[in-house]
Amino acid sequence: MSKLKKASGRQHMNLRSVILLVALQSLFSCNSVHKDDNSNNPKTETIRRFAVKPEDLLKNFTTWYRYDYNNVKLSQDFIALDVDSNVIKKEDFLHRLSTGKYFAIKTMSKDEQPYYNLYTFPNRNVEIEETIKQKAATAIAHYEMEGKELSPYHFTDVKGTTYSNNSTKGKVVVLKCWFIHCVACVKEFPVLNDLVDKYKDSHDIEFISLASDTKLQLNSFLRTREFKYAVVPGQREEYMREQLNVTEYPTHFLIDRTGKIVKVVNSIEDLIPFIEKEVKKNAL
């Protein structure tokens, strides 16, 4: 009888030890449990900050231009900040830049969305100021076109295929304005061809280009250069300038399925993210 009582007592002791051990393990491993719980939480925001000294950018025009060209994309969706780092509307930001009294610096990005901060010039630099004014004026003109309907059109490309508002209705349209002797226009052909290839199985997107050159000139030019967009000749005065107010080349337009302008840019690299977003939106 006494042996049975001792055995029972040892079992009680072992049970209490196990419970205590489990409790201690739980206590000291709470961090790992916490991490597992966080696995279902929303993705943590990715924030990057950029240490840029304004005075370093303004040493000379080339230094500023190289930085501005690579970092300040006014056609992007960005968070606009005034000189006191207060959030302002993109439209206000662009209009302040257009005065030539300010320049912009990319100070940070959150989940890939850039933050642009306005700064005042410590000293006059006419060359930089005038370039900023021109760049801002173009950005304002493009921004004001967003949401507007594309002017009625009826194009016939060099192969005889026709395109109109009716034939492209319900499709995303990527429109490029260019001419043969525009070096930047021709240089981006490989990127444009890759775009066409990427969406070759999609039946709800059209790639059309409007050229100022004649059909004869274009046919001769395209014999030695591959360009997979539809190419419409003779459009400088007829449509590009009169209807689209194009003054710089290349200029790219992204049109949604309803015929409204989504984005206007001068670099195809700036348009690609918006094309992807528009196509995904329409696929939902």
Side-chain angles (χ1 to χ4, degrees), residues 113-125:
Q113 185 172 50
Y115 282 61
Y116 297 156
N117 222 124
L118 289 176
Y119 287 81
T120 55
F121 286 94
N123 300 297
R124 291 294 308 276
N125 188 312

Side-chain angles (χ1 to χ4, degrees), residues 57-58 60-72 127-128 131-132 135:
L57 296 183
L58 302 177
N60 53 63
F61 178 83
T62 303
T63 300
W64 166 80
Y65 186 83
R66 185 182 296 114
Y67 169 84
D68 191 78
Y69 180 84
N70 291 315
N71 295 279
V72 181
E127 192 175 13
I128 294 177
T131 304
I132 290 175
K135 181 180 177 182

Side-chain angles (χ1 to χ4, degrees), residues 187-219:
K187 187 178 180 180
E188 64 181 9
F189 276 11
V191 178
L192 303 179
N193 291 339
D194 287 344
L195 262 180
V196 175
D197 288 339
K198 179 178 179 179
Y199 295 103
K200 65 181 179 181
D201 295 326
S202 299
H203 302 293
D204 60 349
I205 184 168
E206 294 278 5
F207 294 91
I208 304 170
S209 74
L210 307 181
S212 61
D213 312 279
T214 66
K215 180 178 179 179
L216 183 64
Q217 291 170 325
L218 287 165
N219 281 333

Side-chain angles (χ1 to χ4, degrees), residues 74-76 78 80 88-94 143 263:
L74 298 180
S75 60
Q76 284 184 335
F78 60 86
I88 58 176
K89 293 180 179 180
K90 179 177 180 177
E91 186 176 8
D92 293 338
F93 182 93
L94 295 176
Y143 181 70
K263 188 66 62 175

Side-chain angles (χ1 to χ4, degrees), residues 49 70 86 182 201 238 244 246 249 270:
R49 300 186 186 279
N70 291 315
N86 297 314
C182 168
D201 295 326
E238 183 177 342
L244 300 180
V246 173
Y249 298 86
D270 292 337

Side-chain angles (χ1 to χ4, degrees), residues 18-34:
V18 170
I19 293 172
L20 179 60
L21 181 60
V22 171
L24 288 171
Q25 287 177 336
S26 299
L27 177 63
F28 287 106
S29 64
C30 63
N31 288 336
S32 62
V33 172
H34 182 66

